[in-house]
């Protein structure tokens, strides 16, 4: 149901949440249009409905991780709500244990970063994707540091203020600091040096 028919914090919103969550099972069962309906819900203005999309995608991933990544490769070329939905569902330790899938995840993160770079930062979807990237870079690096650290380091020379915000946010992750303290320190130092150069 639309936000008009099922406004936020209403009982009907919960019914909509359950319906969107059930789309994950319908995708697994091969029902036509289920992926498209799920994708449409990813851009819903209600945060609980977007959360249902994330959980539905995770249901798909637990059943068939390959299918989730097929969806991810498509959605990452969509709008920022869709990009955020796929990143929040895929960037989980259980999904990144396979190095080949971890590699694909970092490519998805890269594409989302390219969407952020130079774009207008005033929209809700931009802010949500930016925040997600600040969190999920660190999660992905923790799961697969060998592949993730070089790709993260590629962005350290960026002069885009929103990219730099994402990097700084990722480097504040307590688990990442604990596991990769020396690397985190080097990254922070490089960011400061680039900032100093920009101020000259």
């Amino acid at each position: 149901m639309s936000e008009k028919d099922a406004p936020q914090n209403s009982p009907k919103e919960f019914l909509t949440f359950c319906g969107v969550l059930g789309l994950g099972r319908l995708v697994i069962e091969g029902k036509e249009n289920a992926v498209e309906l799920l994708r449409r819900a990813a851009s819903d203005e209600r945060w609980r409905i977007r959360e249902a999309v994330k959980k539905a995608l995770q249901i798909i991933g637990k059943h068939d991780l390959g299918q989730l990544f097929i969806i991810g490769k498509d959605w990452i070329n969509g709008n920022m709500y869709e990009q955020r939905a796929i990143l929040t569902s895929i960037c989980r330790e259980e999904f990144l244990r396979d190095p080949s899938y971890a590699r694909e995840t970092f490519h998805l993160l890269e594409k989302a970063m390219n969407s952020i770079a130079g774009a207008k930062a005033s929209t809700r979807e931009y802010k949500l994707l930016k925040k997600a990237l600040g969190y999920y870079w660190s999660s992905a690096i923790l799961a697969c540091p060998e592949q993730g650290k070089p790709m993260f380091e590629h962005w350290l020379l960026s002069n885009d203020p929103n990219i730099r915000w994402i990097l700084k946010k990722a480097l504040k992750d307590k688990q990442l600091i604990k596991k990769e303290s020396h690397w985190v320190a080097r990254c922070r130092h490089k960011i400061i040096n680039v900032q100093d150069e920009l101020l000259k």
Side-chain angles (χ1 to χ4, degrees), residues 19 25 31 43 94 96 99 105 109 136 172 192 196-197:
R25 177 55 55 184
K31 301 296 183 181
S43 299
E94 63 185 293
L96 298 177
T105 298
L109 285 164
Y136 288 108
K172 290 179 181 178
I192 292 171
D196 289 342
E197 287 296 320

Side-chain angles (χ1 to χ4, degrees), residues 108-127:
L108 297 178
L109 285 164
E110 286 268 287
K111 285 198 171 185
M113 291 287 275
N114 284 319
S115 295
I116 288 288
K120 292 183 179 180
S122 59
T123 64
R124 178 187 292 183
E125 61 183 297
Y126 184 102
K127 292 174 182 177

Side-chain angles (χ1 to χ4, degrees), residues 76 118 128 182 184:
I76 204 66
L128 288 172
H182 295 300
V184 168

